mmCIF file of all heavy atoms in Angstrom:
data_model
loop_
_atom_site.group_PDB
_atom_site.id
_atom_site.type_symbol
_atom_site.label_atom_id
_atom_site.label_comp_id
_atom_site.label_asym_id
_atom_site.label_seq_id
_atom_site.Cartn_x
_atom_site.Cartn_y
_atom_site.Cartn_z
ATOM 1 N N GLU Q 231 158.288 149.595 148.859
ATOM 2 C CA GLU Q 231 158.348 150.686 149.830
ATOM 3 C C GLU Q 231 158.440 152.036 149.124
ATOM 4 O O GLU Q 231 157.807 153.011 149.545
ATOM 5 C CB GLU Q 231 159.542 150.476 150.762
ATOM 6 C CG GLU Q 231 159.386 149.276 151.676
ATOM 7 C CD GLU Q 231 160.638 148.979 152.475
ATOM 8 O OE1 GLU Q 231 161.738 149.320 151.987
ATOM 9 O OE2 GLU Q 231 160.516 148.423 153.578
ATOM 10 N N LYS Q 232 159.222 152.096 148.069
ATOM 11 C CA LYS Q 232 159.364 153.340 147.306
ATOM 12 C C LYS Q 232 158.024 153.743 146.706
ATOM 13 O O LYS Q 232 157.630 154.912 146.758
ATOM 14 C CB LYS Q 232 160.402 153.148 146.204
ATOM 15 C CG LYS Q 232 160.543 154.320 145.223
ATOM 16 C CD LYS Q 232 161.643 154.016 144.211
ATOM 17 C CE LYS Q 232 161.772 155.110 143.150
ATOM 18 N NZ LYS Q 232 160.614 155.088 142.231
ATOM 19 N N GLN Q 233 157.306 152.774 146.161
ATOM 20 C CA GLN Q 233 156.035 153.082 145.518
ATOM 21 C C GLN Q 233 154.994 153.524 146.542
ATOM 22 O O GLN Q 233 154.189 154.421 146.271
ATOM 23 C CB GLN Q 233 155.549 151.855 144.734
ATOM 24 C CG GLN Q 233 154.438 152.166 143.745
ATOM 25 C CD GLN Q 233 154.227 151.044 142.754
ATOM 26 O OE1 GLN Q 233 155.164 150.570 142.114
ATOM 27 N NE2 GLN Q 233 152.981 150.598 142.627
ATOM 28 N N ILE Q 234 155.005 152.908 147.719
ATOM 29 C CA ILE Q 234 154.067 153.308 148.777
ATOM 30 C C ILE Q 234 154.357 154.732 149.233
ATOM 31 O O ILE Q 234 153.441 155.534 149.460
ATOM 32 C CB ILE Q 234 154.127 152.320 149.959
ATOM 33 C CG1 ILE Q 234 153.511 150.970 149.542
ATOM 34 C CG2 ILE Q 234 153.379 152.875 151.168
ATOM 35 C CD1 ILE Q 234 153.621 149.890 150.598
ATOM 36 N N LEU Q 235 155.629 155.076 149.363
ATOM 37 C CA LEU Q 235 155.992 156.440 149.740
ATOM 38 C C LEU Q 235 155.502 157.451 148.707
ATOM 39 O O LEU Q 235 155.144 158.581 149.052
ATOM 40 C CB LEU Q 235 157.506 156.560 149.902
ATOM 41 C CG LEU Q 235 158.106 155.941 151.166
ATOM 42 C CD1 LEU Q 235 159.623 156.000 151.118
ATOM 43 C CD2 LEU Q 235 157.585 156.659 152.407
ATOM 44 N N GLU Q 236 155.470 157.019 147.454
ATOM 45 C CA GLU Q 236 154.976 157.888 146.384
ATOM 46 C C GLU Q 236 153.452 157.871 146.279
ATOM 47 O O GLU Q 236 152.883 158.522 145.413
ATOM 48 C CB GLU Q 236 155.585 157.451 145.052
ATOM 49 C CG GLU Q 236 157.103 157.641 144.990
ATOM 50 C CD GLU Q 236 157.732 156.978 143.775
ATOM 51 O OE1 GLU Q 236 157.036 156.184 143.092
ATOM 52 O OE2 GLU Q 236 158.919 157.239 143.511
ATOM 53 N N LYS Q 237 152.801 157.102 147.173
ATOM 54 C CA LYS Q 237 151.341 156.970 147.202
ATOM 55 C C LYS Q 237 150.779 156.407 145.894
ATOM 56 O O LYS Q 237 149.678 156.757 145.461
ATOM 57 C CB LYS Q 237 150.678 158.305 147.551
ATOM 58 C CG LYS Q 237 151.076 158.852 148.923
ATOM 59 C CD LYS Q 237 150.279 160.073 149.295
ATOM 60 C CE LYS Q 237 150.763 160.668 150.610
ATOM 61 N NZ LYS Q 237 150.699 159.696 151.728
ATOM 62 N N ASN Q 238 151.559 155.544 145.286
ATOM 63 C CA ASN Q 238 151.106 154.822 144.101
ATOM 64 C C ASN Q 238 150.883 153.371 144.524
ATOM 65 O O ASN Q 238 151.835 152.641 144.765
ATOM 66 C CB ASN Q 238 152.152 154.905 142.988
ATOM 67 C CG ASN Q 238 151.734 154.112 141.744
ATOM 68 O OD1 ASN Q 238 150.655 153.521 141.694
ATOM 69 N ND2 ASN Q 238 152.598 154.090 140.745
ATOM 70 N N TYR Q 239 149.647 152.962 144.617
ATOM 71 C CA TYR Q 239 149.323 151.657 145.170
ATOM 72 C C TYR Q 239 148.929 150.636 144.103
ATOM 73 O O TYR Q 239 148.412 149.571 144.434
ATOM 74 C CB TYR Q 239 148.188 151.810 146.187
ATOM 75 C CG TYR Q 239 148.468 152.862 147.239
ATOM 76 C CD1 TYR Q 239 147.528 153.843 147.541
ATOM 77 C CD2 TYR Q 239 149.691 152.898 147.911
ATOM 78 C CE1 TYR Q 239 147.783 154.818 148.495
ATOM 79 C CE2 TYR Q 239 149.960 153.874 148.866
ATOM 80 C CZ TYR Q 239 149.003 154.826 149.151
ATOM 81 O OH TYR Q 239 149.267 155.796 150.094
ATOM 82 N N ARG Q 240 149.194 150.943 142.852
ATOM 83 C CA ARG Q 240 148.861 150.030 141.764
ATOM 84 C C ARG Q 240 149.920 148.924 141.665
ATOM 85 O O ARG Q 240 151.091 149.203 141.359
ATOM 86 C CB ARG Q 240 148.763 150.775 140.436
ATOM 87 C CG ARG Q 240 147.511 151.609 140.286
ATOM 88 C CD ARG Q 240 147.579 152.471 139.033
ATOM 89 N NE ARG Q 240 147.876 151.662 137.854
ATOM 90 C CZ ARG Q 240 146.959 151.054 137.112
ATOM 91 N NH1 ARG Q 240 145.682 151.139 137.434
ATOM 92 N NH2 ARG Q 240 147.314 150.358 136.042
ATOM 93 N N LEU Q 241 149.507 147.695 141.910
ATOM 94 C CA LEU Q 241 150.437 146.573 141.853
ATOM 95 C C LEU Q 241 150.995 146.403 140.450
ATOM 96 O O LEU Q 241 152.171 146.045 140.269
ATOM 97 C CB LEU Q 241 149.716 145.298 142.309
ATOM 98 C CG LEU Q 241 150.574 144.043 142.499
ATOM 99 C CD1 LEU Q 241 151.745 144.302 143.429
ATOM 100 C CD2 LEU Q 241 149.723 142.898 143.023
ATOM 101 N N ARG Q 242 150.203 146.672 139.444
ATOM 102 C CA ARG Q 242 150.660 146.551 138.061
ATOM 103 C C ARG Q 242 151.840 147.488 137.786
ATOM 104 O O ARG Q 242 152.778 147.142 137.064
ATOM 105 C CB ARG Q 242 149.497 146.850 137.111
ATOM 106 C CG ARG Q 242 149.838 146.817 135.625
ATOM 107 C CD ARG Q 242 150.129 145.404 135.141
ATOM 108 N NE ARG Q 242 150.426 145.396 133.720
ATOM 109 C CZ ARG Q 242 149.555 145.075 132.776
ATOM 110 N NH1 ARG Q 242 148.319 144.747 133.092
ATOM 111 N NH2 ARG Q 242 149.912 145.052 131.512
ATOM 112 N N ASP Q 243 151.818 148.700 138.370
ATOM 113 C CA ASP Q 243 152.897 149.649 138.146
ATOM 114 C C ASP Q 243 154.221 149.155 138.728
ATOM 115 O O ASP Q 243 155.290 149.533 138.240
ATOM 116 C CB ASP Q 243 152.545 151.009 138.749
ATOM 117 C CG ASP Q 243 151.456 151.723 137.971
ATOM 118 O OD1 ASP Q 243 151.082 151.239 136.886
ATOM 119 O OD2 ASP Q 243 150.963 152.759 138.459
ATOM 120 N N LEU Q 244 154.149 148.325 139.749
ATOM 121 C CA LEU Q 244 155.364 147.785 140.355
ATOM 122 C C LEU Q 244 156.172 146.975 139.351
ATOM 123 O O LEU Q 244 157.410 146.953 139.402
ATOM 124 C CB LEU Q 244 154.987 146.901 141.555
ATOM 125 C CG LEU Q 244 156.126 146.219 142.309
ATOM 126 C CD1 LEU Q 244 156.974 147.248 143.058
ATOM 127 C CD2 LEU Q 244 155.565 145.186 143.284
ATOM 128 N N LEU Q 245 155.502 146.334 138.417
ATOM 129 C CA LEU Q 245 156.159 145.439 137.478
ATOM 130 C C LEU Q 245 157.027 146.180 136.478
ATOM 131 O O LEU Q 245 157.958 145.603 135.912
ATOM 132 C CB LEU Q 245 155.118 144.604 136.737
ATOM 133 C CG LEU Q 245 154.116 143.846 137.619
ATOM 134 C CD1 LEU Q 245 153.162 143.055 136.741
ATOM 135 C CD2 LEU Q 245 154.821 142.961 138.628
ATOM 136 N N THR Q 246 156.754 147.450 136.252
ATOM 137 C CA THR Q 246 157.519 148.193 135.258
ATOM 138 C C THR Q 246 158.943 148.462 135.714
ATOM 139 O O THR Q 246 159.801 148.780 134.896
ATOM 140 C CB THR Q 246 156.834 149.536 134.930
ATOM 141 O OG1 THR Q 246 156.822 150.369 136.099
ATOM 142 C CG2 THR Q 246 155.411 149.308 134.457
ATOM 143 N N GLU Q 247 159.214 148.334 137.004
ATOM 144 C CA GLU Q 247 160.554 148.552 137.521
ATOM 145 C C GLU Q 247 161.185 147.271 138.043
ATOM 146 O O GLU Q 247 162.233 147.313 138.692
ATOM 147 C CB GLU Q 247 160.533 149.604 138.634
ATOM 148 C CG GLU Q 247 160.131 150.985 138.180
ATOM 149 C CD GLU Q 247 160.412 152.029 139.248
ATOM 150 O OE1 GLU Q 247 161.544 152.050 139.772
ATOM 151 O OE2 GLU Q 247 159.500 152.803 139.567
ATOM 152 N N SER Q 248 160.571 146.135 137.786
ATOM 153 C CA SER Q 248 161.002 144.875 138.380
ATOM 154 C C SER Q 248 161.526 143.899 137.335
ATOM 155 O O SER Q 248 161.188 143.989 136.155
ATOM 156 C CB SER Q 248 159.817 144.222 139.115
ATOM 157 O OG SER Q 248 159.243 145.107 140.042
ATOM 158 N N ASN Q 249 162.338 142.957 137.778
ATOM 159 C CA ASN Q 249 162.772 141.829 136.952
ATOM 160 C C ASN Q 249 161.726 140.721 137.086
ATOM 161 O O ASN Q 249 161.566 140.159 138.167
ATOM 162 C CB ASN Q 249 164.130 141.305 137.416
ATOM 163 C CG ASN Q 249 165.214 142.362 137.311
ATOM 164 O OD1 ASN Q 249 165.169 143.218 136.444
ATOM 165 N ND2 ASN Q 249 166.187 142.304 138.207
ATOM 166 N N VAL Q 250 161.027 140.427 136.019
ATOM 167 C CA VAL Q 250 159.870 139.535 136.103
ATOM 168 C C VAL Q 250 159.964 138.399 135.092
ATOM 169 O O VAL Q 250 160.299 138.627 133.924
ATOM 170 C CB VAL Q 250 158.561 140.319 135.854
ATOM 171 C CG1 VAL Q 250 157.343 139.400 136.020
ATOM 172 C CG2 VAL Q 250 158.449 141.504 136.803
ATOM 173 N N PHE Q 251 159.668 137.172 135.541
ATOM 174 C CA PHE Q 251 159.398 136.064 134.640
ATOM 175 C C PHE Q 251 157.918 136.112 134.291
ATOM 176 O O PHE Q 251 157.078 136.239 135.175
ATOM 177 C CB PHE Q 251 159.649 134.712 135.321
ATOM 178 C CG PHE Q 251 161.078 134.294 135.412
ATOM 179 C CD1 PHE Q 251 161.704 134.260 136.649
ATOM 180 C CD2 PHE Q 251 161.794 133.901 134.302
ATOM 181 C CE1 PHE Q 251 163.015 133.846 136.761
ATOM 182 C CE2 PHE Q 251 163.105 133.489 134.408
ATOM 183 C CZ PHE Q 251 163.718 133.458 135.641
ATOM 184 N N TYR Q 252 157.585 135.994 133.000
ATOM 185 C CA TYR Q 252 156.192 135.867 132.602
ATOM 186 C C TYR Q 252 155.955 134.476 132.036
ATOM 187 O O TYR Q 252 156.611 134.074 131.079
ATOM 188 C CB TYR Q 252 155.822 136.932 131.563
ATOM 189 C CG TYR Q 252 155.660 138.294 132.162
ATOM 190 C CD1 TYR Q 252 156.572 139.311 131.895
ATOM 191 C CD2 TYR Q 252 154.595 138.557 133.013
ATOM 192 C CE1 TYR Q 252 156.428 140.559 132.457
ATOM 193 C CE2 TYR Q 252 154.452 139.811 133.573
ATOM 194 C CZ TYR Q 252 155.371 140.802 133.303
ATOM 195 O OH TYR Q 252 155.223 142.040 133.870
ATOM 196 N N LEU Q 253 155.035 133.769 132.650
ATOM 197 C CA LEU Q 253 154.634 132.444 132.194
ATOM 198 C C LEU Q 253 153.358 132.595 131.383
ATOM 199 O O LEU Q 253 152.365 133.130 131.872
ATOM 200 C CB LEU Q 253 154.395 131.530 133.397
ATOM 201 C CG LEU Q 253 153.853 130.133 133.115
ATOM 202 C CD1 LEU Q 253 154.854 129.335 132.287
ATOM 203 C CD2 LEU Q 253 153.550 129.414 134.424
ATOM 204 N N GLU Q 254 153.390 132.151 130.135
ATOM 205 C CA GLU Q 254 152.219 132.299 129.274
ATOM 206 C C GLU Q 254 151.094 131.367 129.729
ATOM 207 O O GLU Q 254 151.300 130.180 129.969
ATOM 208 C CB GLU Q 254 152.596 132.012 127.820
ATOM 209 C CG GLU Q 254 153.667 132.944 127.258
ATOM 210 C CD GLU Q 254 153.286 134.414 127.344
ATOM 211 O OE1 GLU Q 254 152.073 134.721 127.288
ATOM 212 O OE2 GLU Q 254 154.196 135.249 127.483
ATOM 213 N N GLU Q 255 149.903 131.915 129.836
ATOM 214 C CA GLU Q 255 148.756 131.168 130.354
ATOM 215 C C GLU Q 255 148.481 129.905 129.545
ATOM 216 O O GLU Q 255 148.117 128.861 130.102
ATOM 217 C CB GLU Q 255 147.520 132.063 130.358
ATOM 218 C CG GLU Q 255 146.289 131.407 130.946
ATOM 219 C CD GLU Q 255 145.071 132.298 130.851
ATOM 220 O OE1 GLU Q 255 145.001 133.103 129.896
ATOM 221 O OE2 GLU Q 255 144.183 132.182 131.710
ATOM 222 N N ASN Q 256 148.666 129.968 128.235
ATOM 223 C CA ASN Q 256 148.368 128.818 127.389
ATOM 224 C C ASN Q 256 149.264 127.624 127.671
ATOM 225 O O ASN Q 256 148.963 126.501 127.264
ATOM 226 C CB ASN Q 256 148.476 129.207 125.920
ATOM 227 C CG ASN Q 256 147.284 130.027 125.456
ATOM 228 O OD1 ASN Q 256 146.236 130.021 126.097
ATOM 229 N ND2 ASN Q 256 147.445 130.734 124.352
ATOM 230 N N SER Q 257 150.397 127.847 128.345
ATOM 231 C CA SER Q 257 151.285 126.747 128.668
ATOM 232 C C SER Q 257 150.850 125.977 129.910
ATOM 233 O O SER Q 257 151.428 124.947 130.237
ATOM 234 C CB SER Q 257 152.712 127.264 128.875
ATOM 235 O OG SER Q 257 152.819 127.971 130.106
ATOM 236 N N LEU Q 258 149.806 126.445 130.581
ATOM 237 C CA LEU Q 258 149.405 125.855 131.858
ATOM 238 C C LEU Q 258 148.522 124.615 131.716
ATOM 239 O O LEU Q 258 148.360 123.870 132.672
ATOM 240 C CB LEU Q 258 148.665 126.892 132.703
ATOM 241 C CG LEU Q 258 149.496 128.051 133.239
ATOM 242 C CD1 LEU Q 258 148.592 129.091 133.891
ATOM 243 C CD2 LEU Q 258 150.540 127.559 134.231
ATOM 244 N N GLY Q 259 147.930 124.420 130.546
ATOM 245 C CA GLY Q 259 147.026 123.284 130.388
ATOM 246 C C GLY Q 259 145.834 123.388 131.315
ATOM 247 O O GLY Q 259 145.214 124.442 131.452
ATOM 248 N N GLU Q 260 145.517 122.288 131.998
ATOM 249 C CA GLU Q 260 144.361 122.260 132.895
ATOM 250 C C GLU Q 260 144.524 123.185 134.092
ATOM 251 O O GLU Q 260 143.533 123.562 134.736
ATOM 252 C CB GLU Q 260 144.109 120.827 133.376
ATOM 253 C CG GLU Q 260 143.680 119.871 132.268
ATOM 254 C CD GLU Q 260 143.416 118.470 132.780
ATOM 255 O OE1 GLU Q 260 143.664 118.231 133.981
ATOM 256 O OE2 GLU Q 260 142.974 117.622 131.983
ATOM 257 N N LEU Q 261 145.750 123.559 134.401
ATOM 258 C CA LEU Q 261 145.977 124.451 135.535
ATOM 259 C C LEU Q 261 145.421 125.850 135.300
ATOM 260 O O LEU Q 261 145.320 126.640 136.239
ATOM 261 C CB LEU Q 261 147.475 124.532 135.852
ATOM 262 C CG LEU Q 261 148.122 123.259 136.412
ATOM 263 C CD1 LEU Q 261 149.622 123.461 136.590
ATOM 264 C CD2 LEU Q 261 147.482 122.864 137.744
ATOM 265 N N LYS Q 262 145.057 126.167 134.066
ATOM 266 C CA LYS Q 262 144.471 127.478 133.784
ATOM 267 C C LYS Q 262 143.206 127.719 134.602
ATOM 268 O O LYS Q 262 142.882 128.870 134.930
ATOM 269 C CB LYS Q 262 144.145 127.609 132.291
ATOM 270 C CG LYS Q 262 145.338 127.807 131.401
ATOM 271 C CD LYS Q 262 144.929 128.294 130.023
ATOM 272 C CE LYS Q 262 144.078 127.281 129.290
ATOM 273 N NZ LYS Q 262 143.779 127.733 127.891
ATOM 274 N N SER Q 263 142.489 126.653 134.919
ATOM 275 C CA SER Q 263 141.245 126.814 135.673
ATOM 276 C C SER Q 263 141.482 127.396 137.058
ATOM 277 O O SER Q 263 140.562 127.963 137.670
ATOM 278 C CB SER Q 263 140.514 125.476 135.795
ATOM 279 O OG SER Q 263 141.286 124.548 136.549
ATOM 280 N N CYS Q 264 142.704 127.279 137.564
ATOM 281 C CA CYS Q 264 143.020 127.832 138.887
ATOM 282 C C CYS Q 264 142.919 129.349 138.901
ATOM 283 O O CYS Q 264 142.760 129.960 139.960
ATOM 284 C CB CYS Q 264 144.424 127.422 139.312
ATOM 285 S SG CYS Q 264 144.653 125.647 139.560
ATOM 286 N N LEU Q 265 143.007 129.977 137.730
ATOM 287 C CA LEU Q 265 143.032 131.430 137.645
ATOM 288 C C LEU Q 265 141.636 132.045 137.572
ATOM 289 O O LEU Q 265 141.499 133.268 137.548
ATOM 290 C CB LEU Q 265 143.841 131.859 136.419
ATOM 291 C CG LEU Q 265 145.322 131.476 136.452
ATOM 292 C CD1 LEU Q 265 145.959 131.724 135.097
ATOM 293 C CD2 LEU Q 265 146.059 132.237 137.541
ATOM 294 N N ILE Q 266 140.605 131.218 137.561
ATOM 295 C CA ILE Q 266 139.240 131.741 137.519
ATOM 296 C C ILE Q 266 138.949 132.484 138.819
ATOM 297 O O ILE Q 266 139.100 131.926 139.907
ATOM 298 C CB ILE Q 266 138.222 130.602 137.324
ATOM 299 C CG1 ILE Q 266 138.426 129.943 135.958
ATOM 300 C CG2 ILE Q 266 136.795 131.118 137.470
ATOM 301 C CD1 ILE Q 266 137.589 128.706 135.751
ATOM 302 N N ASN Q 267 138.552 133.732 138.680
ATOM 303 C CA ASN Q 267 138.224 134.495 139.886
ATOM 304 C C ASN Q 267 136.770 134.948 139.853
ATOM 305 O O ASN Q 267 136.164 135.082 138.791
ATOM 306 C CB ASN Q 267 139.156 135.697 140.067
ATOM 307 C CG ASN Q 267 138.997 136.732 138.975
ATOM 308 O OD1 ASN Q 267 138.887 136.396 137.807
ATOM 309 N ND2 ASN Q 267 138.983 137.996 139.371
ATOM 310 N N ILE Q 268 136.214 135.170 141.024
ATOM 311 C CA ILE Q 268 134.801 135.488 141.190
ATOM 312 C C ILE Q 268 134.676 136.937 141.649
ATOM 313 O O ILE Q 268 135.152 137.298 142.730
ATOM 314 C CB ILE Q 268 134.145 134.550 142.226
ATOM 315 C CG1 ILE Q 268 134.388 133.078 141.842
ATOM 316 C CG2 ILE Q 268 132.655 134.839 142.347
ATOM 317 C CD1 ILE Q 268 133.866 132.689 140.491
#
């Protein structure tokens, strides 16, 4: 809500102020194929 009020709509920018778990892609095995986007 704060970011929208500031008219900053970049989802990536939201992460700089958030508590985030990062899961490394290489740990996914065959599940990596789920991330293919068109």
Side-chain angles (χ1 to χ4, degrees):
E231 292 173 332
K232 173 178 176 289
Q233 195 165 309
I234 290 175
L235 285 174
E236 295 170 348
K237 299 187 184 302
N238 178 2
Y239 308 131
R240 285 172 53 88
L241 188 54
R242 178 70 179 261
D243 289 352
L244 179 69
L245 307 181
T246 64
E247 295 192 50
S248 306
N249 299 329
V250 183
F251 281 111
Y252 285 111
L253 175 63
E254 300 303 330
E255 183 184 30
N256 284 341
S257 73
L258 291 172
E260 294 181 355
L261 292 176
K262 286 195 297 185
S263 64
C264 295
L265 296 170
I266 295 173
N267 65 317
I268 306 301

